[in-house]
Structures are given as structure tokens and as C-alpha cells.
């Protein structure tokens, strides 16, 4: 849910490194890169709230997004 909130707030796709940085700043939690990429990739395959827009770059499937 923290990643979802960060991506929704960003309104555009973010690389996982930027997601991790923003989650740490907003929530004080350090996320494991491999775990987040794995979890998001599984959700993308299930078409569950996230899409992959580039290598290790994700966005939410709903809400305002600026996808080029």
C-alpha cells in the first residue's frame, strides 16, 4: 500500500529506486529492492493495480498518470 500511495501521488511512472527513496522519506521504512520488484512484477502479471512501463519502472493503473 505504501508503494501504491507513492505512485498514485507521483502521478507518473517511477523507477523502483525512486519508489524506495520516497517510501523511506514519507514512511521511514527501508524497502528491499528485490522484494519490491518481485512483488510489483507479480501484481503486474495479475493486472492488480500496477503496470510496468519500463525496466524496473512502475505506475498505478488508476488515477492520474502522465505516461509518455
Amino acid at each position: 500500500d505504501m508503494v501504491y500511495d507513492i505512485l498514485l501521488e507521483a502521478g507518473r511512472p517511477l523507477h523502483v529506486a525512486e519508489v524506495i527513496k520516497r517510501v523511506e522519506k514519507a514512511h521511514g521504512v527501508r524497502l528491499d529492492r528485490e522484494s519490491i520488484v518481485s512483488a510489483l512484477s507479480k501484481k503486474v502479471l495479475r493486472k492488480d493495480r500496477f503496470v510496468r512501463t519500463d525496466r524496473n519502472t512502475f505506475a498505478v493503473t488508476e488515477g492520474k498518470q502522465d505516461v509518455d
Side-chain angles (χ1 to χ4, degrees):
D1 286 337
M2 290 184 289
V3 173
Y4 177 81
D5 291 342
I6 293 296
L7 289 171
L8 193 61
E9 182 181 304
R12 64 182 176 85
L14 294 176
H15 188 272
V16 72
E18 182 64 22
V19 170
I20 290 169
K21 185 171 102 176
R22 290 183 185 205
V23 166
E24 187 170 12
K25 183 176 180 182
H27 300 284
V29 176
R30 179 74 178 157
L31 301 176
D32 179 69
R33 179 185 173 102
E34 288 78 24
S35 295
I36 292 303
V37 170
S38 176
L40 290 174
S41 296
K42 289 175 186 174
K43 288 186 173 284
V44 167
L45 288 173
R46 291 191 308 252
K47 298 181 185 341
D48 181 9
R49 298 200 300 180
F50 299 96
V51 293
R52 183 188 316 264
T53 60
D54 203 351
R55 182 179 168 100
N56 291 333
T57 303
F58 299 90
V60 294
T61 56
E62 56 196 51
K64 184 179 176 195
Q65 299 177 35
D66 182 20
V67 180
D68 296 84

